[in-house]
């Protein structure tokens, strides 16, 4: 069971993942968040994955797309939480969660200064995301932190400030920091490129 993000991390990871010969027909795919748009829209996270997976072995996976539309977002979040619980138990334990990181330190659609993720829900409806589109559904922090493995990927200098705060500020209130605190190593893996790592990055010294 694998939970995927949207955004640049999906675009970076999925083309390689989708071509791998894995036992896809027994792998459940969920999305850590979905935007309240038609699945055919460019902004849909599931739509992006479908386009990437077309004609690859990944097509054979068990896809759990969220039917999120702004008018029925709360119902959609509840229904998606139930679908997840039917596969991953209640509370759900997902095998692998893959996350991107926003410039503001958000993960999935849990944004800074949002109380969502602490409300005991499995999946939350988000009506006021500061990143477009504003209507989304999202795994909550508790669902993410209960996963067996969490892989967080951040690429590019625009992510550096959030990464630095999450890794060096013990009082960081960023959702990224909450995920890393909630899934201590070896349950979590943080993948950074040099730009995202910035001054955390120390080039190897020659012997
Ligand atoms: C989404 C994502 C979201 C994303 C971050 C980072 O649907 O928007 O799941 O959490 O991972 O916003 O996005 P980028 O990697 O594109 O900057």
């Amino acid at each position: 069971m694998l939970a995927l993000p949207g955004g640049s991390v999906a675009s970076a990871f999925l083309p390689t993942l989708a071509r791998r010969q894995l036992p896809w027909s027994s792998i459940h795919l969920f999305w850590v968040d979905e935007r309240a748009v038609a699945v055919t829209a460019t902004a849909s996270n599931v739509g992006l994955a479908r386009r990437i997976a077309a004609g690859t072995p990944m097509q054979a996976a068990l896809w759990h797309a969220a039917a999120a539309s702004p008018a029925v977002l709360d119902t959609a979040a509840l229904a998606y939480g139930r679908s997840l619980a039917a596969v991953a138990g209640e509370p759900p334990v997902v095998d692998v969660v893959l996350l991107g990181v926003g410039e503001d330190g958000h993960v999935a659609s849990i944004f800074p200064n949002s109380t969502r993720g602490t409300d005991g829900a499995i999946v939350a409806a988000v009506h006021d995301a500061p990143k477009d589109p504003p209507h989304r559904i999202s795994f909550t922090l508790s669902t993410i932190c209960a996963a067996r493995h969490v892989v967080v990927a951040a690429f590019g200098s625009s992510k550096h400030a959030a990464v630095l705060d999450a890794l060096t500020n013990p009082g960081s209130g960023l959702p990224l920091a909450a995920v890393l605190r909630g899934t201590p190593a070896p349950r979590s893996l943080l993948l950074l490129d040099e730009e995202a790592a910035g001054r955390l990055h120390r080039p190897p010294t020659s012997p």
Side-chain angles (χ1 to χ4, degrees):
M1 190 192 329
L2 180 59
L4 299 169
S8 66
V9 168
S11 300
F13 282 65
L14 294 190
T16 304
L17 183 66
R19 288 195 299 272
R20 294 290 303 274
Q21 295 294 344
L22 299 175
W24 285 111
S25 58
S26 55
I27 296 179
H28 292 269
L29 296 181
F30 284 86
W31 274 263
V32 296
D33 66 344
E34 178 57 300
R35 297 117 181 238
V37 295
V39 78
T40 47
T42 324
S44 164
N45 289 344
V46 176
L48 172 66
R50 279 195 180 151
R51 288 190 295 281
I52 293 173
T56 72
M58 188 180 170
Q59 252 185 335
L62 302 161
W63 293 63
H64 297 270
S69 89
V72 293
L73 210 55
D74 295 273
T75 317
L78 274 175
Y80 204 53
R82 277 197 297 270
S83 304
L84 183 61
V87 175
E90 191 158 3
V93 179
V94 178
D95 292 318
V96 180
V97 165
L98 176 62
L99 294 172
V101 176
E103 296 174 16
D104 58 358
H106 77 258
V107 293
S109 287
I110 307 167
F111 291 87
N113 306 317
S114 154
T115 55
R116 288 174 202 95
T118 55
D119 56 6
I122 297 173
V123 173
V126 179
H127 296 276
D128 54 356
K131 178 181 174 182
D132 219 37
H135 300 285
R136 293 149 175 263
I137 64 169
S138 176
F139 277 21
T140 57
L141 215 42
S142 52
T143 299
I144 292 171
C145 290
R148 290 195 173 85
H149 302 282
V150 177
V151 179
V152 186
F155 306 129
S157 56
S158 65
K159 311 291 169 75
H160 174 63
V163 168
L164 185 69
D165 189 67
L167 291 182
T168 63
N169 172 8
S172 174
L174 297 181
L176 171 61
V179 166
L180 296 178
R181 280 197 297 265
T183 57
R187 272 207 300 135
S188 60
L189 174 68
L190 179 60
L191 302 175
L192 305 173
D193 64 3
E194 280 187 31
E195 288 72 30
R199 62 190 168 89
L200 294 163
H201 173 68
R202 289 188 188 83
T205 48
S206 39

Coordinates of all heavy atoms in Angstrom, one line a residue, residues 4-10 32-35 43 45 98-104 106-111 131-133 136 153 155 158-159, ligand 1:
L4 N 0.6 8.5 -2.4 CA 1.4 9.4 -3.3 C 1.0 10.8 -3.1 O -0.2 11.1 -2.9 CB 1.2 8.9 -4.7 CG 1.7 7.5 -5.0 CD1 1.2 7.1 -6.4 CD2 3.2 7.4 -4.9
P5 N 1.9 11.7 -3.4 CA 1.6 13.1 -3.4 C 1.3 13.6 -4.8 O 1.4 12.8 -5.8 CB 2.9 13.8 -2.9 CG 4.0 12.9 -3.5 CD 3.4 11.5 -3.6
G6 N 1.1 14.9 -5.0 CA 1.1 15.5 -6.3 C 2.3 16.3 -6.4 O 3.3 16.1 -5.8
G7 N 2.3 17.3 -7.3 CA 3.4 18.3 -7.4 C 4.6 17.7 -8.0 O 4.6 16.6 -8.6
S8 N 5.7 18.4 -7.7 CA 7.0 18.1 -8.4 C 7.5 16.7 -8.0 O 8.2 16.0 -8.8 CB 8.0 19.1 -8.1 OG 8.4 19.1 -6.8
V9 N 7.2 16.3 -6.8 CA 7.7 15.0 -6.4 C 7.0 13.8 -7.1 O 7.7 12.9 -7.6 CB 7.5 14.8 -4.8 CG1 7.8 13.4 -4.4 CG2 8.5 15.7 -4.1
A10 N 5.7 14.0 -7.4 CA 5.1 13.0 -8.2 C 5.7 13.0 -9.6 O 6.0 11.9 -10.2 CB 3.6 13.3 -8.3
V32 N -2.0 11.2 -0.8 CA -2.0 11.9 0.5 C -2.9 13.1 0.4 O -3.3 13.5 1.5 CB -0.5 12.2 0.9 CG1 0.3 11.0 1.1 CG2 0.1 13.2 -0.1
D33 N -3.0 13.6 -0.7 CA -4.0 14.7 -0.9 C -4.5 14.7 -2.3 O -3.9 14.2 -3.2 CB -3.5 16.1 -0.4 CG -2.3 16.6 -1.3 OD1 -1.7 15.8 -2.1 OD2 -2.0 17.8 -1.2
E34 N -5.7 15.3 -2.5 CA -6.2 15.5 -3.8 C -6.9 16.9 -3.9 O -7.5 17.3 -2.9 CB -7.2 14.4 -4.2 CG -7.9 14.5 -5.5 CD -6.9 14.6 -6.7 OE1 -6.1 15.5 -6.8 OE2 -7.0 13.7 -7.6
R35 N -6.7 17.5 -5.0 CA -7.3 18.8 -5.2 C -8.8 18.6 -5.7 O -9.0 17.7 -6.4 CB -6.5 19.6 -6.2 CG -5.1 19.9 -5.7 CD -4.0 19.3 -6.6 NE -2.7 19.6 -6.2 CZ -1.8 20.2 -6.9 NH1 -2.1 20.6 -8.1 NH2 -0.6 20.3 -6.5
A43 N -4.7 19.9 -12.8 CA -4.3 20.0 -11.4 C -4.6 18.8 -10.5 O -4.2 18.7 -9.4 CB -5.1 21.2 -10.8
N45 N -4.2 15.4 -8.8 CA -3.0 14.6 -8.4 C -3.2 13.2 -9.0 O -2.2 12.6 -9.5 CB -2.8 14.5 -6.9 CG -2.3 15.9 -6.4 OD1 -1.9 16.7 -7.1 ND2 -2.4 16.0 -5.1
L98 N 4.7 8.8 0.5 CA 5.6 9.6 -0.1 C 5.1 11.1 -0.1 O 3.9 11.3 -0.4 CB 5.8 9.2 -1.6 CG 6.7 10.1 -2.5 CD1 8.2 10.1 -1.9 CD2 6.7 9.5 -3.9
L99 N 5.9 12.0 0.4 CA 5.5 13.4 0.5 C 6.4 14.4 -0.2 O 7.6 14.2 -0.1 CB 5.5 13.8 2.0 CG 4.5 13.1 3.0 CD1 4.8 13.5 4.4 CD2 3.1 13.4 2.6
G100 N 5.8 15.4 -0.7 CA 6.6 16.6 -1.1 C 6.5 17.6 0.0 O 5.8 17.4 1.0
V101 N 7.2 18.7 -0.2 CA 7.3 19.8 0.8 C 7.0 21.1 0.1 O 7.6 21.4 -0.9 CB 8.6 19.8 1.5 CG1 8.7 21.0 2.5 CG2 9.0 18.5 2.2
G102 N 6.1 21.9 0.7 CA 5.8 23.2 0.1 C 6.9 24.2 0.7 O 7.5 23.9 1.7
E103 N 7.0 25.3 0.0 CA 7.9 26.4 0.4 C 7.6 26.8 1.8 O 8.5 27.3 2.6 CB 7.9 27.5 -0.5 CG 8.3 27.2 -1.9 CD 8.1 28.3 -3.0 OE1 7.9 29.4 -2.5 OE2 8.2 28.0 -4.2
D104 N 6.4 26.7 2.2 CA 6.0 27.2 3.6 C 6.0 26.0 4.6 O 5.6 26.2 5.7 CB 4.5 27.7 3.5 CG 3.5 26.7 3.0 OD1 4.0 25.6 2.6 OD2 2.3 27.0 2.9
H106 N 4.5 23.1 4.2 CA 3.4 22.2 4.2 C 3.7 20.8 3.7 O 4.7 20.7 2.8 CB 2.1 22.8 3.5 CG 2.2 22.8 2.0 ND1 2.5 23.9 1.3 CD2 1.9 21.8 1.2 CE1 2.4 23.5 0.0 NE2 2.0 22.3 -0.1
V107 N 3.0 19.8 4.1 CA 3.1 18.5 3.5 C 1.7 18.0 3.2 O 0.7 18.4 3.9 CB 3.8 17.5 4.5 CG1 5.2 17.8 4.6 CG2 3.1 17.4 5.8
A108 N 1.5 17.2 2.2 CA 0.1 16.8 1.7 C -0.6 18.2 1.6 O -0.1 19.1 1.1 CB -0.5 15.8 2.7
S109 N -1.8 18.3 2.2 CA -2.5 19.6 2.2 C -2.7 20.0 3.7 O -3.7 20.6 4.0 CB -3.8 19.6 1.4 OG -3.5 19.6 0.0
I110 N -1.7 19.8 4.5 CA -1.6 20.3 5.8 C -0.7 21.5 5.8 O 0.5 21.4 5.7 CB -1.1 19.2 6.8 CG1 -1.9 17.9 6.7 CG2 -1.2 19.7 8.3 CD1 -1.2 16.7 7.3
F111 N -1.3 22.6 6.0 CA -0.6 23.9 5.9 C -0.2 24.5 7.3 O -0.9 24.1 8.2 CB -1.4 24.9 5.1 CG -1.5 24.5 3.6 CD1 -2.5 23.7 3.2 CD2 -0.6 24.9 2.7 CE1 -2.6 23.2 1.9 CE2 -0.7 24.5 1.4 CZ -1.7 23.7 1.0
K131 N -2.4 27.5 -1.1 CA -1.9 27.1 -2.4 C -3.1 26.7 -3.3 O -3.9 26.0 -2.8 CB -0.9 26.0 -2.3 CG -0.3 25.5 -3.6 CD 0.7 24.3 -3.4 CE 1.1 23.8 -4.7 NZ 2.0 22.6 -4.6
D132 N -3.1 27.2 -4.5 CA -4.2 26.9 -5.4 C -4.2 25.4 -5.8 O -3.2 24.9 -6.0 CB -4.0 27.8 -6.6 CG -5.4 28.3 -7.1 OD1 -6.2 28.6 -6.2 OD2 -5.6 28.4 -8.3
P133 N -5.3 24.8 -5.9 CA -6.7 25.3 -5.6 C -7.0 25.2 -4.1 O -6.4 24.4 -3.4 CB -7.6 24.3 -6.4 CG -6.8 23.0 -6.4 CD -5.3 23.4 -6.5
R136 N -9.4 21.1 -1.1 CA -8.6 19.8 -1.2 C -9.1 18.9 -0.1 O -9.8 19.3 0.8 CB -7.1 20.1 -0.9 CG -6.5 21.0 -1.9 CD -5.4 21.8 -1.2 NE -4.6 22.6 -2.2 CZ -3.5 22.2 -2.7 NH1 -2.9 21.1 -2.3 NH2 -2.8 22.9 -3.7
A153 N 10.5 14.2 0.3 CA 11.4 14.7 -0.7 C 11.2 16.2 -0.9 O 10.1 16.7 -1.1 CB 11.2 13.9 -2.0
F155 N 13.1 19.4 -3.2 CA 14.1 19.7 -4.2 C 14.0 21.2 -4.5 O 12.9 21.7 -4.7 CB 13.9 18.9 -5.5 CG 13.9 17.4 -5.3 CD1 12.8 16.6 -5.8 CD2 14.9 16.8 -4.5 CE1 12.8 15.3 -5.5 CE2 14.8 15.4 -4.3 CZ 13.8 14.7 -4.8
S158 N 14.0 26.9 -3.0 CA 12.8 27.5 -2.4 C 12.3 26.7 -1.2 O 11.6 27.1 -0.4 CB 11.7 27.6 -3.4 OG 11.3 26.3 -3.8
K159 N 12.8 25.4 -1.1 CA 12.4 24.6 0.0 C 13.4 24.7 1.2 O 13.1 24.1 2.3 CB 12.3 23.1 -0.4 CG 11.5 22.9 -1.7 CD 10.0 23.2 -1.5 CE 9.2 23.2 -2.8 NZ 8.9 22.0 -3.4
Ligands
LIG1 C1 -0.2 18.8 -3.6 C2 0.9 18.1 -3.0 C3 1.6 19.0 -2.1 C4 3.0 19.1 -2.7 C5 3.7 20.4 -2.2 C6 5.0 20.6 -2.9 O1 -1.2 18.2 -4.1 O2 -0.1 20.0 -3.8 O3 0.6 16.8 -2.5 O4 1.7 18.6 -0.7 O5 3.8 18.0 -2.4 O6 2.8 21.5 -2.4 O7 4.7 20.8 -4.2 P1 5.9 21.0 -5.2 O8 6.8 19.8 -5.0 O9 5.3 21.0 -6.6 O10 6.6 22.2 -4.9

